[in-house]
Amino acid sequence: AAQYTLGGMRLEGEVETGARFFLAEPSKTRAAKFQEYKDVDDGLFLQRFYLRAFTADDAYSTELAGAEWGSENQNFSLTSGRLGVWQFNFEWDQLRHVLFTNTRMLAVEANRGVFVLPTRRPPLAAYNSAPEQDDISVRWDTARMGWQYSFTPDFAVKAEYTRIRKDGDRPFGIVFGSPGNNFLQVLEPIEQTTHDFRLQGTYATERWQLLFSYSGSVFVNDERRVRADNPCFANAGQCSASDVGGPASGQVSLPPSNMAHTFSLSGGANLPMRTRINGNVTYSLRLQNDSFLPQTINDTIRNDPQLRLPQRSLNGNVQIFTALLQAVTRPWTPLTLSAKYRLYDQNELSDRPIFDGVVPNDRTVNPQDHRAARLDYTKHNVDLDARYQLVQPLAVAVGTAWERWDRSKGREANTTDEFFGKAALDATPTDWLQARLTYRPSFRRYDRYNTFARENTIVIEDVAAEATGQSKLLRKFDEADRDRQRVDFDLTFTPTETVTITPTFSYRWDDFVGSRLGLQNETSWSTGIDLNFTPNQWFSFSTGYMYEKNDQHQRQRQRTATLDVVDFDWISHNVDTVQTAHTAARGAIIPSILEWAIGANWSYALGRVDTRNPVNPSSGTAAQNATASAKPWPAFEDQLFRVDVALKYHFAKAWTATLGYAWESFEKKDWRTDTLNPFVPVPSTAGLPGQTSIWLGGDIKSYTAHIIGATLAYRFE
Amino acid sequence: SPSSGPAQAPAEPPAGYVGAETCKGCHEDAFRQFETTKMGRLFLKHPRNSKESLACENCHGPGQKHVEAGGGKGVGGMITFAKNDPTPVAQRNAMCLTCHSKGDRIFWRGSPHELRDVACTSCHRVMQDVSPRHQLAKPTQIETCGTCHIQKRAQQMRSSHMPLREGKLTCTSCHNPHGTVSQSLLKEASVNDSCFTCHAEKRGPFLWQHAPQNESCLNCHDPHGSNHERMLKVAKPRLCQQCHNETQHPTNPYGRDAASLKFMLGRQCLNCHVNIHGSNHPSGFAFTR
C-alpha cells in the first residue's frame, strides 16, 4: 500500500465511496418502514471514511472517521490523543426516525402546534381527500464531546457532554370529550433538546478502587401545547348531538422541561482470603417547574371560578437515594460466596396541589376536588449466592434472594415481598462442550390490596368514585401475587477450533395466583441454535434460527355501575410467535484478490388475540349483552426478509472494488391499520354513537426494494 | 509518570522474564498483529510503568521456564488465554484486572458474568484488532454479546425495534457487561434512568403520574424489540385492559365490530390518552390533556 506522511505525521486510512440505484424502490406512501431508521437514495454515497495521523513513535494520533456523509443519517467523529495519557473525542450523529409517509390532514398548522379548520366545518368524508403530508418523522441530531486524562495508570478523570436535539412531528390526538366523543389526530411538534453532562474521576490501586461521578441532564421542550379545532363543532348532520355540542377547539399539554442531577460514589477493596467488597451510594434529584396551562381554552367555561389554578406550577422535586453493598469471597479455591444488598429509595417531594374543579373532557367542569397524589416507592434487594466447583469441569451454584417494594398509598399494593430461589449448573466435561443450566423460581405476595387506592388519593370527597371505579376482583400484574418458574439452558459445542454450535432454550411461567380478574398467567419460551464455522481466513459461515412464543391469558369483565355480573366475564389469549433466522457466508474465489459475501436475515411474527366469553352474556338487556360479547379479532402478522450479496475485487495493492446487491421485502397484515383512512364511517347502531373521529390515516405498508450498488475503496498506510 | 514522559522498557528484563523480543522470535505473526493494537502500541512503545514494560509477559506470565523448556503450548506455566487453557478463569481474569480495575470495571468482581466464570477473553480479543473499538472478539458489540445472548440478538430483528441493527445504538448504550450497581447490568441506577438518558421528556416529574410508568418502563415496553408498535409487550387495548377493569370507561371485549373501531384503530387507547407517560396539564389526570 502507498505510504503517506504529512507535516511529519504518518497517515493511514481508508475511504470507500460509490453509487447505488434502486432496481425497484418502495413508493413514497409505502416507504415508511423501509426508511424507518435509514436514508437510502439513488446516486453517489460515502460508505465510510477513516483517516489516522500519528507520530513516528505512535505516541500522538488523530483519527477522523465517518459514514454516510451527506445523508440524513450521517455520522462523523474526531478523536485525538496521546497514547495512554489523554484523549479528546467529538462525534456527530444523525438519525431520522420515519414514522409514516402516507398521512393526510385537512387541518392547517397555522402556528407551530396550532391546527386550524375552516369555521364552517367540512363534512367528515372530506378528510379522506385531505392533502397528503410530508413524511412524519423525527430527526435526532446527537453531538458528543469527551475528554479523558490519565494522570497515572491508576488515576484518571473523564468529562463528557452530549446534546440530543430532536426535530419533527409525530401523530397526536386531541379529544373533545371522553369517552364516547370524538377526537382529531394531528401532529405533535417535536422540538426538544437534552443536554447531558458527565464528570468522572477514578483512582485504582491493586488493593482498592474509588470512583466518583456526577451527571447532569437538562431537558428543554420548546413547545408546550398542541391546539386543534374540533371537526364536529356545530357540524350538525355529520356528528352526533353530543359531538356537535363539544368545544370549538381543544388544547393538550406537551412534556414539560425538566432537569436531573446525579452524584455517585463507588468503591471496592480486595481483602484477605480472596474477599472483595464493593459499595456505592448515589443521590439523584429530578426537578420540574414548568408553569401550568390553563384548565381549558373553552370560552364557555374558562372563567368558571372552580377552574382557578391553586398554584402556577408543580415545584416538581423527586429525590432518589441508592445504596449498594456487596461482598464476594473465595475462602478456598472451589467455593465462591457472594452477598448483595441494594436499596433504591425514590421520594416524591413535589407539591400536592388540590384543584377545586377540572375539565378532563375539555367541555364540562367536573366540580370534584382533585388532588395530584404523589407516587413513590422504596425497593430493597438482597441476594445470597454460593458457587462450588465440585470438580474441575463441574460447578454448582445455589442462592436465594428477596425483593421488597414499599409503595406510597396511591398504589393498590403498598408492600410486596418476592422470594427467589436459584440453582445453576455450569459444566465443561470436555474442552469442546460447555453447558449452563439455570433454574430460578420466585414467589411474590402483597400484604393487602386496595382496589380504590387511586380514587382515594386523587379524587377527594367523591363517594361515587369507588362504585364507578375498578373492579374489586382485579389485581394489576405488576403488584399481584405471582408464582414464577424460570429455566434457562445453554450449550456451546466447539468440536473443533473452527466450529461453534450454540443451542439455547429458555422457559418462563408466571402464574398470577389469586387474580380473579386481570392477567391470569403468562408462558414465554424460546429455543434457538447458532452455528459458526470458520475453517480458515478465506472462508467463514454462520447461521442461526430462533423460535419465540409468548402466551398470555387474561380475564376481564365488562361492567357498568349497575351491572357487575359473572356472565359478563371475557377471556383473552394473547399469543405472539416470532421466528428469526440469519445466514452469512464469505469466501475467496482467488485469495486476496477476489472475494464474495452473502448475508440473509428473515423474521416472521404472528400475533393472535383470541377473545371469548366463558358463558354467554345474558344478565343484561339485549344491547348490554351484545356489548359484553367477545368480538372476533383477526390475526396480524409481519415478515421481513433481506438478502445482501457482494463481490469484492482487490487490485493494485490498495484498491478494492465492490459490486453489491440487496433485496429487502417487508409484508404486513394488520386489520387495525391496513385500511385506516382519516375518516372511517361507521353508522350509529343500537344506542351507540357513530364513528366521528378523525385519524391521520398513517400506516406502515408492505414494500419490496431491490438495490444495486458499486463502491471503490482505497486503503493507505 | 506520563506527564513527565513515558517510561522506557527496561534494558534487562527482571528475573524469570525474557522480554518481548525473545517472544517475537517464535511468535512473530502474533507479535506483528499485537503491535498494531492500542494495547500493543502502549506496551511495546510507550509503557507507563514497569508492569506495562513487561509487554507479552505482563499478561502471559514470566517466560523464562517456557523458553528454557523449548517452548510449546502451556509449557512453562504460561497462561495462553485460549479456550482450552487449564488456567482457571478467575486467574486469567485476574491478569487483566491488574490494570483494568478502575472506571467501568470497578464492579466486575461479584457481577453476574464474573460469578458464572465468563473470561475477559470470551468477549475481548487482545492480540489483534477485530473490532473498531474496545478490542472485541467479534466485529460488533451485537455479535459479541449475541454469541451467548442469541435470543436478545434475534429480538432486534423484530419489526418494532430500536436502531441497533442500523448501527445507531449498541448493547453498551444501556448495559455495562463488566458489572454495575443496578439489576440487569444497566449503566444507570434503574430501568427508567436508563430510558430517560435519551427519552428525557418522559422523566417528569409530572403533575399526574402514571404509576406503572413511574416504577418501570418495562411494565409496558420490551426495549429489545417487539412485534407490537412502540415496542409494547402486548397488543393494545389488551395491554391497558390488564390493569383497567372499570365502569366509567367500561372494559369492553373490543374486536372487529363497528362499535369497537374507535378503540381499536390507529393508536387504540392512546388515540385519546395521548399523555400516557404523565401529564402536566391541570386537568390531565386521565392523561387525555
Side-chain angles (χ1 to χ4, degrees):
Chain A
Q3 300 285 324
Y4 289 90
T5 59
L6 181 68
M9 301 285 279
R10 295 184 180 180
L11 301 179
E12 65 178 19
E14 184 175 9
V15 60
E16 181 175 5
T17 186
R20 65 185 158 218
F21 302 95
F22 281 95
L23 301 175
E25 183 177 8
S27 65
K28 190 248 179 196
T29 55
R30 291 188 167 272
K33 197 66 185 170
F34 179 71
Q35 295 178 350
E36 184 178 25
Y37 292 124
K38 54 182 182 266
D39 182 19
V40 179
D41 286 317
D42 280 334
L44 297 173
F45 70 100
L46 178 77
Q47 180 81 8
R48 66 173 175 275
F49 176 84
Y50 172 73
L51 174 67
R52 178 169 176 263
F54 55 101
T55 54
D57 64 356
D58 240 338
Y60 294 88
S61 66
T62 297
E63 293 176 14
L64 179 64
E68 299 189 53
W69 286 356
S71 84
E72 293 246 39
N73 283 4
Q74 64 184 333
N75 169 283
F76 67 85
S77 64
L78 175 70
T79 306
S80 189
R82 179 180 169 189
L83 190 63
V85 183
W86 62 268
Q87 182 173 293
F88 168 82
N89 65 282
F90 175 80
E91 183 185 11
W92 176 265
D93 187 69
Q94 289 180 194
L95 170 69
R96 188 178 64 147
H97 183 189
V98 176
L99 300 165
F100 296 112
T101 55
N102 59 347
T103 58
R104 285 160 281 169
M105 187 167 69
L106 203 57
V108 174
E109 190 171 15
N111 292 304
R112 194 69 170 126
V114 178
F115 296 88
V116 178
L117 289 168
T119 306
R120 183 185 169 84
R121 302 292 195 253
L124 298 185
Y127 288 82
N128 287 345
S129 52
E132 283 192 3
Q133 300 296 297
D134 290 336
D135 298 350
I136 307 303
S137 65
V138 180
R139 234 271 300 272
W140 293 47
D141 291 345
T142 304
R144 291 190 188 89
M145 203 182 300
W147 175 80
Q148 52 187 302
Y149 190 88
S150 296
F151 291 95
T152 71
D154 301 328
F155 178 38
V157 293
K158 192 160 72 172
E160 289 178 344
Y161 167 67
T162 303
R163 177 185 181 274
I164 302 174
R165 173 68 184 177
K166 301 178 196 174
D167 277 296
D169 305 275
R170 67 179 188 121
F172 193 81
I174 304 263
V175 62
F176 307 99
S178 174
N181 292 114
N182 63 312
F183 65 81
L184 171 70
Q185 203 170 57
V186 288
L187 295 171
E188 174 190 354
I190 307 285
E191 294 184 13
Q192 304 170 351
T193 309
T194 304
H195 305 272
D196 191 89
F197 311 88
R198 287 172 192 255
L199 294 171
Q200 187 188 85
T202 177
Y203 187 79
T205 68
E206 284 200 24
R207 292 290 301 274
W208 57 271
Q209 298 82 36
L210 206 58
L211 173 72
F212 169 77
S213 67
Y214 162 77
S215 67
S217 172
V218 178
F219 169 74
V220 181
N221 194 349
D222 296 341
E223 300 296 326
R224 297 187 59 221
R225 52 94 183 95
V226 177
R227 188 180 290 188
D229 286 344
N230 179 1
C232 283
F233 177 68
N235 202 354
Q238 293 288 318
C239 304
S240 68
S242 174
D243 290 340
V244 169
S249 57
Q251 178 168 278
V252 175
S253 65
L254 294 178
S257 299
N258 62 68
M259 67 172 73
H261 303 275
T262 301
F263 303 87
S264 179
L265 182 65
S266 304
N270 299 328
L271 303 177
M273 295 180 67
R274 287 178 288 188
T275 300
R276 166 85 177 177
I277 56 166
N278 292 323
N280 166 268
V281 286
T282 301
Y283 170 76
S284 293
L285 183 65
R286 296 179 191 162
L287 303 170
Q288 188 273 112
N289 208 23
D290 255 16
S291 54
F292 295 139
L293 294 173
Q295 293 269 22
T296 182
I297 57 169
N298 185 342
D299 287 335
T300 59
I301 54 172
R302 64 188 303 175
N303 295 320
D304 188 313
Q306 291 182 106
L307 300 184
R308 183 185 57 83
L309 298 176
Q311 57 191 71
R312 61 165 288 279
S313 59
L314 177 64
N315 291 320
N317 183 327
V318 173
Q319 299 185 20
I320 301 166
F321 178 72
T322 311
L324 173 86
L325 187 61
Q326 181 182 35
V328 187
T329 183
R330 287 193 169 90
W332 74 95
T333 303
L335 180 67
T336 304
L337 301 171
S338 70
K340 183 164 73 174
Y341 170 72
R342 184 171 183 269
L343 168 72
Y344 186 89
D345 187 19
Q346 179 173 315
N347 295 290
E348 256 286 359
L349 303 177
S350 308
D351 290 350
R352 297 165 192 241
I354 296 177
F355 297 90
D356 294 338
V358 291
V359 196
N361 57 10
D362 223 351
R363 57 165 60 186
T364 54
V365 178
N366 177 338
Q368 294 160 353
D369 287 354
H370 280 68
R371 175 177 53 202
R374 310 314 301 167
L375 302 171
D376 53 17
Y377 65 93
T378 304
K379 192 175 158 194
H380 306 266
N381 285 89
V382 173
D383 288 80
L384 300 170
D385 292 280
R387 186 174 195 269
Y388 190 77
Q389 192 86 35
L390 291 171
V391 287
Q392 181 57 31
L394 184 64
V396 293
V398 292
T400 185
W402 168 66
E403 179 175 290
R404 162 168 283 191
W405 287 73
D406 286 315
R407 298 177 170 95
S408 56
K409 64 178 185 178
R411 292 229 67 192
E412 293 78 5
N414 298 133
T415 301
T416 57
D417 288 296
E418 185 163 13
F419 297 93
F420 299 77
K422 299 181 209 171
L425 193 70
D426 292 346
T428 315
T430 71
D431 61 9
W432 54 267
L433 174 63
Q434 183 182 63
R436 294 182 190 276
L437 175 66
T438 310
Y439 171 54
R440 280 175 289 179
S442 69
F443 308 92
R444 184 176 70 193
R445 296 292 181 268
Y446 55 75
D447 61 342
R448 68 186 188 89
Y449 195 93
N450 176 13
T451 301
F452 307 110
R454 187 166 190 271
E455 284 84 351
N456 293 159
T457 50
I458 286 184
V459 185
I460 303 174
E461 298 166 3
D462 182 6
V463 291
E466 289 193 358
T468 58
Q470 291 274 25
S471 168
K472 286 181 181 176
L473 303 176
L474 175 79
R475 296 293 178 269
K476 295 185 176 179
F477 66 83
D478 59 330
E479 303 171 285
D481 287 351
R482 182 185 67 193
D483 291 350
R484 169 173 282 180
Q485 306 289 331
R486 185 169 176 175
V487 177
D488 295 288
F489 184 50
D490 302 305
L491 283 172
T492 306
F493 294 98
T494 45
T496 72
E497 283 288 322
T498 59
V499 176
T500 306
I501 303 168
T502 317
T504 181
F505 174 77
S506 179
Y507 174 83
R508 179 167 58 82
W509 159 257
D510 287 349
D511 186 4
F512 293 87
V513 291
S515 293
R516 175 68 182 76
L517 296 180
L519 190 56
Q520 305 289 290
N521 55 61
E522 180 178 3
T523 310
S524 181
W525 67 276
S526 65
T527 186
I529 188 167
D530 254 30
L531 164 69
N532 283 280
F533 175 50
T534 310
N536 54 53
Q537 62 176 312
W538 308 117
F539 179 77
S540 71
F541 172 76
S542 68
T543 189
Y545 171 77
M546 174 64 65
Y547 181 93
E548 302 165 80
K549 186 170 186 178
N550 184 269
D551 186 345
Q552 286 196 346
H553 172 198
Q554 68 183 100
R555 186 183 185 111
Q556 314 290 154
R557 180 175 297 174
Q558 203 282 337
R559 309 161 57 229
T560 67
T562 55
L563 192 64
D564 188 351
V565 290
V566 70
D567 61 304
F568 275 29
D569 280 9
W570 52 270
I571 290 171
S572 191
H573 276 283
N574 316 318
V575 185
D576 293 311
T577 309
V578 184
Q579 297 177 74
T580 312
H582 66 93
T583 295
R586 64 169 184 81
I589 299 168
I590 307 171
S592 300
I593 296 176
L594 194 59
E595 297 170 353
W596 58 270
I598 184 167
N601 283 285
W602 171 75
S603 172
Y604 172 74
L606 173 68
R608 296 185 63 89
V609 175
D610 295 325
T611 307
R612 63 183 175 85
N613 298 99
V615 295
N616 287 332
S618 59
S619 297
T621 64
Q624 287 170 328
N625 292 341
T627 304
S629 297
K631 319 296 187 306
W633 190 334
F636 45 94
E637 58 189 327
D638 66 76
Q639 179 169 241
L640 175 72
F641 186 50
R642 182 175 171 110
V643 176
D644 290 273
V645 181
L647 195 62
K648 289 190 172 193
Y649 174 52
H650 304 285
F651 61 98
K653 289 188 178 177
W655 293 87
T656 302
T658 304
L659 182 64
Y661 163 74
W663 170 36
E664 186 172 310
S665 168
F666 176 73
E667 289 178 30
K668 189 210 71 165
K669 289 179 190 165
D670 189 339
W671 64 276
R672 297 166 298 174
T673 53
D674 283 346
T675 57
L676 183 64
N677 276 318
F679 174 56
V680 181
V682 174
S684 176
T685 58
L688 294 166
Q691 203 298 110
T692 54
S693 293
I694 302 293
W695 286 269
L696 290 169
D699 177 31
I700 52 171
K701 298 289 187 189
S702 303
Y703 66 81
T704 299
H706 296 274
I707 309 167
I708 192 161
T711 65
L712 195 58
Y714 177 65
R715 185 185 182 93
F716 54 97
E717 56 186 25
Chain B
S1 75
S3 54
S4 58
Q8 295 303 308
E12 289 296 324
Y17 292 81
V18 294
E21 284 302 315
T22 306
C23 305
K24 185 182 171 184
C26 294
H27 304 280
E28 187 165 0
D29 287 348
F31 189 92
R32 291 284 176 220
Q33 286 181 330
F34 178 61
E35 68 178 351
T36 63
T37 68
K38 190 174 180 181
M39 209 157 101
R41 296 199 301 265
L42 185 73
F43 281 15
L44 298 169
K45 295 180 181 173
H46 303 280
R48 296 172 295 180
N49 54 27
S50 55
K51 210 163 52 177
E52 289 177 352
S53 67
L54 294 172
C56 313
E57 293 164 286
N58 188 22
C59 304
H60 293 283
Q64 190 172 3
K65 287 181 184 170
H66 175 75
V67 170
E68 287 173 355
K73 258 187 187 173
V75 174
M78 305 298 290
I79 303 173
T80 67
F81 298 96
K83 228 178 284 184
N84 55 2
D85 186 347
T87 311
V89 168
Q91 195 178 327
R92 280 185 258 165
N93 289 351
M95 299 305 292
C96 307
L97 290 169
T98 55
C99 298
H100 297 282
S101 61
K102 62 179 188 292
D104 293 342
R105 292 162 298 273
I106 197 168
F107 290 110
W108 169 254
R109 287 285 305 275
S111 71
H113 285 146
E114 195 261 353
L115 290 175
R116 293 302 286 269
D117 250 3
V118 174
C120 303
T121 49
S122 298
C123 306
H124 296 280
R125 184 166 294 180
V126 176
M127 297 302 291
Q128 67 180 111
D129 281 332
V130 176
S131 64
R133 296 183 67 198
H134 307 305
Q135 294 192 231
L136 299 175
K138 299 279 175 88
T140 66
Q141 278 190 19
I142 292 173
E143 288 173 270
T144 305
C145 302
T147 305
C148 297
H149 302 280
I150 63 176
Q151 193 255 346
K152 297 294 179 215
R153 189 183 63 190
Q155 270 190 273
Q156 57 156 339
M157 288 305 297
R158 296 186 182 186
S159 64
S160 179
H161 66 284
M162 282 197 273
L164 274 96
R165 67 181 195 232
E166 289 81 3
K168 294 294 187 181
L169 281 177
T170 65
C171 307
T172 57
S173 299
C174 302
H175 300 279
N176 174 5
H178 303 109
T180 66
V181 299
S182 54
Q183 294 168 313
S184 302
L185 293 176
L186 291 172
K187 288 163 76 175
E188 306 294 333
S190 68
V191 168
N192 286 19
D193 285 310
S194 303
C195 304
F196 295 155
T197 306
C198 295
H199 302 283
E201 75 278 9
K202 296 176 175 65
R203 182 167 53 204
F206 295 100
L207 173 62
W208 305 103
Q209 299 166 289
H210 193 198
Q213 185 269 357
N214 185 49
E215 292 182 3
S216 176
C217 305
L218 302 185
N219 278 323
C220 301
H221 298 278
D222 186 340
H224 295 106
S226 166
N227 57 323
H228 305 291
E229 75 277 14
R230 305 280 172 184
M231 292 179 287
L232 291 172
K233 290 162 70 176
V234 183
K236 288 178 294 184
R238 294 294 182 260
L239 174 65
C240 308
Q241 289 177 322
Q242 288 176 353
C243 290
H244 293 279
N245 206 133
E246 307 184 12
T247 57
Q248 285 179 317
H249 192 326
T251 308
N252 293 352
Y254 298 121
R256 195 178 189 180
D257 64 306
S260 298
L261 292 185
K262 191 169 110 180
F263 306 94
M264 293 300 304
L265 299 183
R267 302 184 71 198
Q268 297 94 22
C269 305
L270 272 58
N271 284 328
C272 297
H273 301 276
V274 285
N275 280 324
I276 200 64
H277 296 102
S279 171
N280 210 48
H281 192 289
S283 292
F285 69 92
F287 312 114
T288 55
R289 302 296 307 281

